[in-house]
Amino acid sequence: MRPFSMLMFMTICLLLIMGQPAISEGLPQPTLSVITNDPDDVIMEGDTISFFCETTYGNAKRFFLTSLGTNETKEQSGSQFTISQITSYYSGAHTCKYCDQSSCSEPSDPEHIYVRDTFPEPIISVQPRKIVHSGERMTITCSAHFDNIIFFIYKDNELVMEAAASRNTTSYEIQSMAKQNAGQYMCWYKKTTNNRLIQSHPSDPLMIRIKDLPKPTVDVEIPKAEVTSVRINCTVLGTNRKLWFQLLREDKTVEQEVEDTEQTKVTFTIMDRNEKYYCIYRIRIGTDFADSELSDMIFLGKGLADYTMGNCFHVVLSAILLIATGLILFNHIRQKQNRREPVPDLPAARLLIVKESEELEMEIQREPAKENEYKD
Ligand SMILES: *[C@@H]1O[C@H](CO)[C@@H](O)[C@H](O)[C@H]1NC(C)=O
Ligand SMILES: *[C@@H]1O[C@H](CO)[C@@H](O)[C@H](O)[C@H]1NC(C)=O
Ligand SMILES: *[C@@H]1O[C@H](CO)[C@@H](O)[C@H](O)[C@H]1NC(C)=O
């Protein structure tokens, strides 16, 4: 019995040693990765993609790729599974494993793929606003992630524009907004890929409305003293809504604003008079704003200071002095001339100017003469 039991022991040991890697260590777990032709790994129906079952184990004989969604398994000797003309049927999680002669690895962590049968939706946008005035120019833009596509723009489910664009964007322009242009706009596109024309999901809807809000009135109050600030009253007539007032610069950027007020008149105080300003107000309609027309332009340019009271006084005073001087001179000359010859009846002021300029000329003529004297 002894040799026999010895043999049994050795056999068991041998079996244990041989079997040990497969049982206790196992084969290293593979990693599954997806290889596509798209830089963003977007997989479209009809594309060719590959699954790569990667392992550090050098002696793998068979590879298995299982689609967890359909429970289908492909088996082959290579580690790279290539699937051409892929369909959305392949969407879902996949795992892979491999086997050598006697044992198999654990399955890899799952790798999810999504096979698109439509392109992602384009983005629809509008300039200048979703709520416009009648007569205003409006541009609706549809833009996608791809170029070389055919765009379709709809208004209230009716096609208003179809355009093949080499770029990734197209625009639908309305020169003068009218009632019939208001409504819900939407766009989508088509693109040829793998010789198939595939369409995109529709964009979000875009509601375009017309709201004509009359312009506010503006009153400017210039302080009397030497204060540099100017107060501008912006007034809206007949509304009981909450308003949002804005004082805009000439380039339509916002200089000041008063939000969510129940008042129909606000006062803006500005320091910089050499700007052109406009006042507008906005009302909230749903999640959007409707802007009023621009108020009349407010311009308080440089010349403004000359027309203030102080300057007017100076001008008047100068005029009085001028006339007075003129009269004195006129009398003086008349008295002198009365002795020699009669004089034509010239107005006082003109006479003064003539007299002054004569004297000035004489002095100018004298000056160079003096200089010459010193030089010679
Ligand atoms: C997939 O198949 C295996 C056996 O081949 C089975 O045990 C399992 O329940 C199946 N899973 C699904 C989701 O059908
Ligand atoms: C369209 O193309 C331009 C430049 O070519 C890019 O800046 C823009 O992001 C693209 N639009 C979309 C929606 O991908
Ligand atoms: C502007 O409004 C204020 C406050 O209501 C008022 O006192 C002032 O007279 C107004 N100014 C003008 C120029 O209307």
Side-chain angles (χ1 to χ4, degrees):
M1 284 294 282
R2 229 177 161 208
F4 179 69
S5 52
M6 191 67 183
L7 194 66
M8 277 287 284
F9 178 74
M10 282 175 74
T11 312
I12 289 164
C13 278
L14 197 68
L15 277 173
L16 275 174
I17 290 161
M18 278 177 68
Q20 219 157 15
I23 295 158
S24 62
E25 280 177 27
L27 297 173
Q29 187 193 25
T31 43
L32 182 64
S33 51
V34 181
I35 302 159
T36 71
N37 295 324
D38 186 85
D40 298 326
D41 283 338
V42 173
I43 304 166
M44 293 299 306
E45 278 205 333
D47 281 359
T48 297
I49 67 161
S50 293
F51 285 99
F52 184 35
C53 192
E54 196 176 9
T55 176
T56 52
Y57 185 70
N59 211 15
K61 296 283 184 288
R62 305 297 295 165
F63 287 87
F64 301 85
L65 177 71
T66 303
S67 177
L68 297 179
T70 59
N71 220 3
E72 262 177 34
T73 298
K74 282 185 189 338
E75 186 189 339
Q76 63 179 44
S77 56
S79 60
Q80 187 158 328
F81 294 83
T82 298
I83 300 161
S84 54
Q85 295 287 314
I86 198 163
T87 62
S88 48
Y89 180 72
Y90 280 90
S91 288
H94 299 259
T95 63
C96 76
K97 66 173 184 180
Y98 62 91
C99 301
D100 63 10
Q101 257 119 9
S102 56
S103 58
C104 292
S105 72
E106 275 185 60
S108 68
D109 289 335
E111 177 75 10
H112 295 261
I113 65 161
Y114 177 62
V115 182
R116 291 180 167 281
D117 53 1
T118 48
F119 282 113
E121 73 276 7
I123 295 155
I124 194 165
S125 61
V126 64
Q127 282 292 331
R129 273 163 279 105
K130 286 193 218 171
I131 306 173
V132 288
H133 312 144
S134 33
E136 209 173 352
R137 183 204 192 106
M138 187 189 72
T139 308
I140 291 170
T141 301
C142 187
S143 83
H145 295 286
F146 309 99
D147 38 27
N148 291 312
I149 55 186
I150 307 165
F151 282 104
F152 300 85
I153 298 180
Y154 287 77
K155 181 190 155 278
D156 299 328
N157 294 326
E158 264 177 46
L159 186 68
V160 291
M161 191 179 125
E162 179 178 337
S166 56
R167 298 188 305 128
N168 65 358
T169 171
T170 197
S171 290
Y172 176 60
E173 212 161 276
I174 295 162
Q175 294 299 328
S176 174
M177 269 301 282
K179 227 177 213 152
Q180 70 267 18
N181 302 123
Q184 197 173 58
Y185 286 80
M186 181 274 282
C187 71
W188 55 275
Y189 60 91
K190 276 183 185 171
K191 181 175 170 66
T192 304
T193 181
N194 304 311
N195 297 320
R196 292 184 343 148
L197 197 58
I198 293 182
Q199 72 181 58
S200 76
H201 282 291
S203 71
D204 286 339
L206 177 72
M207 194 69 195
I208 300 295
R209 281 181 274 216
I210 295 184
K211 181 82 187 170
D212 291 317
L213 294 174
K215 65 184 179 186
T217 57
V218 283
D219 296 296
V220 181
E221 191 177 8
I222 302 155
K224 285 172 192 72
E226 293 294 306
V227 182
T228 49
S229 67
V230 174
R231 283 205 298 258
I232 299 167
N233 283 353
C234 186
T235 313
V236 179
L237 294 176
T239 177
N240 50 7
R241 285 172 183 265
K242 277 201 169 182
L243 299 173
W244 181 320
F245 286 89
Q246 289 184 329
L247 187 68
L248 306 180
R249 284 176 178 263
E250 196 178 9
D251 61 6
K252 308 296 181 305
T253 55
V254 179
E255 164 75 16
Q256 290 176 31
E257 58 187 351
V258 177
E259 287 177 35
D260 260 347
T261 178
E262 272 164 8
Q263 291 166 348
T264 54
K265 170 156 82 178
V266 297
T267 305
F268 294 109
T269 303
I270 54 157
M271 305 301 286
D272 185 1
R273 291 179 175 187
N274 295 314
E275 278 283 340
K276 289 171 181 156
Y277 295 102
Y278 298 93
C279 175
I280 63 160
Y281 60 94
R282 329 177 87 184
I283 60 169
R284 194 189 285 276
I285 298 177
T287 54
D288 303 316
F289 284 104
D291 283 13
S292 73
E293 304 265 1
L294 291 179
S295 70
D296 292 336
M297 189 182 72
I298 308 153
F299 181 57
L300 311 160
K302 278 205 173 79
L304 183 84
D306 297 338
Y307 303 109
T308 55
M309 284 303 280
N311 280 293
C312 279
F313 179 69
H314 284 146
V315 169
V316 171
L317 194 69
S318 312
I320 291 168
L321 280 172
L322 197 69
I323 290 163
T325 322
L327 280 172
I328 292 162
L329 266 165
F330 178 63
N331 271 333
H332 178 72
I333 290 160
R334 197 167 59 176
Q335 277 167 17
K336 268 190 175 177
Q337 282 176 337
N338 274 349
R339 279 176 236 148
R340 298 169 196 170
E341 55 200 70
V343 84
D345 225 0
L346 280 176
R350 245 177 81 191
L351 197 69
L352 175 73
I353 290 160
V354 169
K355 181 101 179 48
E356 270 179 351
S357 59
E358 269 173 5
E359 276 171 359
L360 207 67
E361 249 174 72
M362 278 163 74
E363 271 187 43
I364 289 163
Q365 278 167 358
R366 247 180 256 143
E367 291 284 335
K370 267 185 213 164
E371 269 180 19
N372 290 344
E373 271 175 16
Y374 288 117
K375 270 179 189 169
D376 291 338

